[in-house]
């Protein structure tokens, strides 16, 4: 399964409801009615070309992916103000935080999504801001992008992130690792704790794991604790880890209670708590070694 998270499902969903025939490449389990809709709606050649490039984006080397991502942001920006443009802008945003493709590239992605939302404001649902505003707010809050969006929904999305982080700051859990040792978050005062939510089926999760291991070995004597949490079975996780040499603790959350406590909607996701227990930073997607180092520096590890 080549979909890492809810955020990637978000891309698949928007492409599917947009009616792209190629959306089946993103969402092979789409319903037959959705597939029928896909074939009944016509789209421009330019839009189809963008969708095809989105489909292959993860296959590119990082340097090529950064260049292509930036060009896609500019191409989407030039599209007419239609629902397709908004969907493509949101889809690109979900794929643009899987690593470090450069500040300028991500800023272009954020600018494109902001423009699309300015052109086509989206209503909220059940008192919650639309997901695209939350996506844009996440780029601003966690990736430090700068956008100008004069919309109550965007303000609501920023407020939602504030509230979510307040809940995470209060979160506590006790889970058991694969060796049977119990770990309690609040009892780790005096340590720098990196909590990483991951899954064996998640390609970006697997990609960042060697960097997590390297950083754990580098900083564990300085008080770094890495707690990797999976909601899968012990059998599945043990089978995955058997061929790999990771030494940081891997905890099991089969009931997903801890995932729910941390409001996890996408994988991978990491949180760093400093020695006083304060949540000082978090990621909304896969991180590179350099990005993890920046996160740990905010907790005082250098």
């Amino acid at each position: 399964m080549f979909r890492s998270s809810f955020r990637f499902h978000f891309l698949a969903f928007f492409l599917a409801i947009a009616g792209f025939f190629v959306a089946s490449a993103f969402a092979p389990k789409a319903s037959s009615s959705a597939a029928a809709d896909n074939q009944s709606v016509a789209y421009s050649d330019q839009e189809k070309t963008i969708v095809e490039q989105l489909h292959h984006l993860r296959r590119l080397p990082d340097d090529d992916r950064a260049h292509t991502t930036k060009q896609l942001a500019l191409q989407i920006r030039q599209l007419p103000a239609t629902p397709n443009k908004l969907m493509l802008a949101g889809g690109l945003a979900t794929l643009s935080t899987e690593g470090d493709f450069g500040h300028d590239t991500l800023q272009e992605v954020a600018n494109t999504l902001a423009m699309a939302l300015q052109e086509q404001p989206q209503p909220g649902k059940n008192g919650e801001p639309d997901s695209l505003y939350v996506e844009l707010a996440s780029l601003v809050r966690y990736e430090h992008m700068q956008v100008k969006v004069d919309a109550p929904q965007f303000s609501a999305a920023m407020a939602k992130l504030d509230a979510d982080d307040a809940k995470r700051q209060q979160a506590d859990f006790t889970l058991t690792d694969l060796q049977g040792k119990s770990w309690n978050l609040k009892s780790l005062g005096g340590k720098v704790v990196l909590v990483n939510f991951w899954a064996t089926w998640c390609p970006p999760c697997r990609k960042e794991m060697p960097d997590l291991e390297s950083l754990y070995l580098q900083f564990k004597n300085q008080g770094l604790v890495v707690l990797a949490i999976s909601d899968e079975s012990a059998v599945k996780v043990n089978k995955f880890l058997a061929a790999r040499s990771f030494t940081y603790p891997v905890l099991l959350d089969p009931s997903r209670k801890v995932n729910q406590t941390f409001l996890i909607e996408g994988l991978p996701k990491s949180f760093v708590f400093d020695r006083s227990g304060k949540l000082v930073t978090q990621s909304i997607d896969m991180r590179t070694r350099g990005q993890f180092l920046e996160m740990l520096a905010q907790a005082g590890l250098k």
Side-chain angles (χ1 to χ4, degrees):
M1 182 174 173
F2 198 56
R3 284 172 284 190
S4 68
S5 68
F6 173 85
R7 297 180 73 244
F8 195 76
H9 282 288
F10 170 81
L11 169 60
F13 171 74
F14 273 91
L15 290 178
I17 63 172
F20 287 108
F21 179 70
V22 294
S24 60
F26 292 95
K29 295 183 180 180
S31 68
S32 58
S33 61
D37 289 343
N38 288 342
Q39 299 180 56
S40 65
V41 182
Y43 290 90
S44 71
D45 291 340
Q46 186 179 8
E47 291 166 350
K48 291 177 182 178
T49 298
I50 291 171
V51 173
E52 189 65 23
Q53 289 182 82
L54 284 172
H55 175 56
H56 294 291
L57 199 57
R58 275 181 168 173
R59 304 177 189 177
L60 298 177
D62 284 353
D63 288 345
D64 292 342
R65 181 169 174 177
H67 174 75
T68 301
T69 296
K70 188 173 184 178
Q71 292 304 308
L72 283 170
L74 297 175
Q75 291 172 29
I76 293 170
R77 206 178 302 169
Q78 297 304 313
L79 293 173
T82 66
N84 294 356
K85 178 178 183 176
L86 187 59
M87 294 165 193
L88 289 170
L92 181 62
T94 67
L95 291 170
S96 298
T97 53
E98 295 179 350
D100 186 1
F101 305 113
H103 180 276
D104 290 346
T105 293
L106 194 54
Q107 184 63 63
E108 294 294 356
V109 172
N111 290 345
T112 296
L113 180 55
M115 173 186 284
L117 284 168
Q118 287 282 71
E119 293 172 342
Q120 302 172 79
Q122 298 299 296
K125 186 176 181 181
N126 299 324
E128 294 287 326
D130 184 84
S131 296
L132 286 172
Y133 287 105
V134 176
E135 184 72 24
L136 183 60
S138 296
L139 293 176
V140 171
R141 182 176 177 87
Y142 304 121
E143 301 287 355
H144 313 297
M145 298 297 103
Q146 296 184 0
V147 299
K148 294 181 180 180
V149 180
D150 183 17
Q153 286 274 34
F154 179 69
S155 298
M158 293 296 292
K160 171 179 166 52
L161 296 183
D162 286 340
D164 288 351
D165 285 345
K167 293 176 182 177
R168 292 170 179 134
Q169 177 62 68
Q170 299 303 316
D172 192 17
F173 63 80
T174 300
L175 291 176
T176 302
D177 67 22
L178 293 171
Q179 285 68 48
K181 180 178 178 179
S182 180
W183 295 84
N184 174 256
L185 178 61
K186 294 297 187 184
S187 70
L188 293 171
K191 304 285 189 180
V192 173
V193 184
L194 191 159
V195 180
N196 173 256
F197 290 87
W198 72 288
T200 62
W201 50 262
C202 163
C205 300
R206 299 197 299 263
K207 188 174 181 179
E208 71 179 7
M209 291 178 83
D211 288 331
L212 279 173
E213 173 68 12
S214 173
L215 293 168
Y216 173 64
L217 295 176
Q218 179 179 346
F219 289 112
K220 67 177 182 178
N221 291 336
Q222 298 180 45
L224 174 64
V225 176
V226 175
L227 301 177
I229 299 176
S230 172
D231 63 2
E232 299 170 283
S233 70
V235 171
K236 183 173 291 186
V237 174
N238 274 314
K239 182 179 179 180
F240 172 81
L241 294 176
R244 295 164 175 84
S245 300
F246 299 132
T247 58
Y248 54 79
V250 176
L251 284 55
L252 300 179
D253 181 31
S255 68
R256 302 202 80 252
K257 288 184 179 179
V258 178
N259 275 261
Q260 292 166 7
T261 297
F262 276 81
L263 306 171
I264 301 301
E265 294 181 334
L267 297 175
K269 193 163 177 65
S270 296
F271 303 87
V272 174
F273 295 84
D274 68 12
R275 297 181 195 276
S276 68
K278 179 182 178 182
L279 175 61
V280 293
T281 187
Q282 63 181 277
S283 71
I284 60 174
D285 212 322
M286 193 204 94
R287 301 291 83 171
T288 63
R289 176 182 172 83
Q291 288 173 313
F292 274 129
L293 281 170
E294 291 174 0
M295 293 174 70
L296 294 176
Q298 294 187 54
L301 282 181
K302 298 181 180 179

